[in-house]
Amino acid sequence: MRNPFSSETEAFHLLLGTVAAFTAIVLAALFGGAWVGVSVWIVATAAAALVYLNRGRATRLVRTAPAHVGPTDERRILVVADETPADETLVREIEQATIGCRRRVLVVSPTHASRVRRWMSDVDGARALARRQLDESLDTLRASGIDAEGEIGEEDSLQAIEDALRTFGADRIIIVTQRGVRSDPDEGGLVASARERFALPITQVVTGAEAGMGPSANPG
């Protein structure tokens, strides 16, 4: 089943809002009677509906990424190293996508923390891992002659992409995943979700891919 939320933060906010609304309804019914409780329930339901509609509108707007306003012979590539560093497969994909053009490459490494670490508010280890993966990716690209910049992203990979697009007007997004990670649209994977959310060509590159397991391009 596809996750209806764009991030865990959004789901947590919904939980807090639900608890607050339920508390308000109960208190209204206790101190004002059943009809007051019903009135509060109607108001809370209407407010929730407005929030949902605004959320949907905002999500659709995300598909319009910042336009690339630069030299016509320049290509800007946003690379998302999702829980894995880049390898030579990514190098070949970037070179293929920028033939005959100058290029600017930004690598984003999302910070993925385990549930235990999140509950303990301990994300330092996750950020350190994301930093190591980012450094490895940058070293691989630079060793191949691709000058790239990098940054640590939010835990939610889609949010990390959105944050990067606010300041980096990419022409294409390349998502680097581990070999064996499923990203079929029916599975609600990152690649499928990103193609629904962002109006840019998106390519998946699988690290450690053997012959016959090359990049998966966006059919659109």
Side-chain angles (χ1 to χ4, degrees):
M1 180 179 295
R2 193 179 301 280
N3 187 348
F5 305 108
S6 61
S7 68
E8 292 188 4
T9 300
E10 183 177 294
F12 181 67
H13 287 166
L14 175 64
L15 175 61
L16 289 181
T18 301
V19 172
F22 180 77
T23 301
I25 293 170
V26 171
L27 292 176
L30 287 176
F31 293 102
W35 285 110
V36 176
V38 171
S39 299
V40 173
W41 174 80
I42 293 174
V43 172
T45 302
L50 288 175
V51 170
Y52 179 81
L53 291 175
N54 288 333
R55 169 184 171 272
R57 187 176 300 111
T59 300
R60 288 191 294 272
L61 289 176
V62 169
R63 290 185 58 83
T64 305
H68 169 197
V69 287
T72 56
D73 63 341
E74 181 182 82
R75 295 293 179 268
R76 295 191 178 192
I77 310 295
L78 173 62
V79 175
V80 184
D82 194 55
E83 298 189 86
T84 182
D87 63 6
E88 292 302 316
T89 311
L90 174 65
V91 172
R92 292 192 295 270
E93 179 64 24
I94 293 177
E95 291 176 341
Q96 181 67 29
T98 58
I99 292 177
C101 300
R102 293 185 295 174
R103 59 195 170 211
R104 286 191 58 187
V105 179
L106 174 64
V107 181
V108 175
S109 181
T111 304
H112 292 288
S114 66
R115 292 184 178 181
V116 174
R117 287 186 177 274
R118 288 198 297 271
W119 280 110
M120 296 178 64
S121 299
D122 178 18
V123 296
D124 291 341
R127 289 189 64 83
L129 176 59
R131 170 54 64 181
R132 288 197 299 272
Q133 292 175 342
L134 176 62
D135 290 342
E136 289 181 33
S137 297
L138 293 176
D139 289 344
T140 297
L141 294 177
R142 291 167 180 168
S144 300
I146 297 176
D147 188 20
E149 302 174 357
E151 61 183 40
I152 301 298
E154 291 291 330
E155 177 180 358
D156 181 85
S157 299
L158 289 176
Q159 185 62 51
I161 296 173
E162 181 178 340
D163 291 343
L165 290 176
R166 294 187 190 282
T167 57
F168 186 77
D171 299 300
R172 176 180 295 273
I173 299 173
I174 300 178
I175 299 178
V176 184
T177 61
Q178 292 178 327
R179 181 179 178 182
V181 174
R182 302 181 68 177
S183 60
D184 185 86
D186 293 335
E187 298 296 328
L190 172 60
V191 178
S193 297
R195 286 171 176 166
E196 290 182 353
R197 187 169 179 178
F198 303 106
L200 286 170
I202 296 177
T203 302
Q204 178 186 16
V205 166
V206 182
T207 57
E210 298 178 351
M213 294 184 60
S216 171
N218 185 347

